[in-house]
Amino acid sequence: MFHGLLMLIPDGLYMLEIDRLLRPGGYWVMSSPPISWKSPYKGPNKTIENLDGEQLAMEDTANKLCWEKVSDKGTLSVWRKPINHLHCAQEAEFLRSPPLCTEDDPDTAWYVNISMCRTHLPRVELDGGPLEKWPQRLATVPPRIANGEIKGMSIQAYKHDCSVWRRRVELYGTYLKDLSHRSYRNVMDMNAGFGSFAAAMLKYPVWVMNVVPANITDNNTLGIIYERGLIGTYMDWCEAFSTYPRTYDLIHANGVFSLYINK
């Protein structure tokens, strides 16, 4: 989930989608007319009444989502998503908040339909305890593994994976000597797993995009990657990756072809 999101559409349905995308405690930055009835901007085919109505509707939806407004200056407003839904549960009925979704996986993100309900927060966010500060969190066992949130992923398997990729990256360094000289900047790991390849690359001056193949395996590891303080996304490699061509200096494709051998 995102720590912060910049959005230009003040619509209730889209605000529910923003709430789904943001991680607990994440921020939503709204910067676009109409952002405030205090702003003199009118825009095409807009009246003061239109602006007032849209602003009030956006404020009402934010309250129903239990977002906290942390800043409101000129044409810029910032809200924060709650850490959990517990503290506003009693207010939800009074505010006529959208109901919590009944059959959703908070970590699902690939081809998810937008719906008029609030997504449950991942359970690990509620009882997993605080994450370690960076860079200690990179090597700490992520809460999803420590608490047994993901079936078949043990602490031992996680530590073994970290050890394997430390050794492999050491070997890569003997072949790709320019890794230490800023010849490579943007790196992609097409089948990131626990994110151990990116963690082992920390000593090099590179940035790694961790990609978890979608709809291929039962093991969704993107949440683990985020808990390690790394960045990542889902991708179905039968489709085009949404980025500019020739963006990456190095693409790491461990195990990708075998995943799609029957595709």
Side-chain angles (χ1 to χ4, degrees), residues 25-250:
Y27 293 87
W28 178 50
V29 179
M30 177 70 184
S31 177
S32 174
I35 185 60
S36 172
W37 54 78
K38 295 173 287 186
S39 172
Y41 179 87
K42 292 185 179 181
N45 303 319
K46 294 287 186 179
T47 66
I48 294 297
E49 290 76 16
N50 291 146
L51 301 181
D52 287 354
E54 291 179 2
Q55 175 72 18
L56 289 171
M58 186 170 62
E59 298 275 355
D60 181 60
T61 301
N63 287 333
K64 290 178 178 179
L65 293 173
C66 206
W67 291 356
E68 174 192 3
K69 179 176 278 189
V70 296
S71 178
D72 188 8
K73 296 180 180 180
T75 60
L76 185 70
S77 289
V78 182
W79 281 271
R80 189 184 188 199
K81 179 178 177 175
I83 299 297
N84 59 60
H85 289 148
L86 301 179
H87 73 279
C88 58
Q90 294 180 343
E91 301 177 14
E93 185 175 354
F94 173 76
L95 294 173
R96 297 183 180 179
S97 299
L100 289 171
C101 301
T102 55
E103 297 181 359
D104 73 321
D105 177 0
D107 288 332
T108 300
W110 196 255
Y111 295 136
V112 175
N113 294 325
I114 298 177
S115 57
M116 290 298 296
C117 60
R118 291 177 294 149
T119 304
H120 286 274
L121 298 180
R123 189 166 67 253
V124 68
E125 300 285 357
L126 302 181
D127 59 16
L131 293 170
E132 295 288 340
K133 298 294 184 181
W134 178 268
Q136 288 77 16
R137 64 186 294 185
L138 192 63
T140 303
V141 177
R144 290 168 192 259
I145 294 179
N147 295 343
E149 289 288 329
I150 304 180
K151 185 178 180 181
M153 294 189 180
S154 65
I155 295 175
Q156 292 77 11
Y158 168 78
K159 291 183 176 180
H160 176 72
D161 187 72
C162 292
S163 176
V164 166
W165 282 109
R166 279 195 297 268
R167 295 195 302 270
R168 290 182 179 177
V169 168
E170 287 287 345
L171 181 61
Y172 290 170
T174 64
Y175 290 97
L176 303 174
K177 297 185 182 301
D178 287 341
L179 274 174
S180 300
H181 303 132
R182 299 185 183 275
S183 296
Y184 302 94
R185 299 162 298 171
N186 301 323
V187 178
M188 176 190 287
D189 190 358
M190 296 178 68
N191 185 21
F194 293 137
S196 299
F197 166 76
M201 292 284 284
L202 181 65
K203 63 182 179 179
Y204 296 116
V206 299
W207 175 86
V208 181
M209 167 62 77
N210 296 279
V211 182
V212 175
N215 305 326
I216 294 297
T217 66
D218 295 330
N219 296 327
N220 181 352
T221 59
L222 189 58
I224 294 171
I225 289 169
Y226 287 155
E227 287 177 354
R228 299 188 73 174
L230 301 169
I231 190 170
T233 186
Y234 293 114
M235 184 61 202
D236 182 347
W237 287 116
C238 291
E239 302 182 13
F241 190 81
S242 181
T243 192
Y244 291 108
R246 297 170 295 280
T247 295
Y248 292 92
D249 302 306
L250 178 65

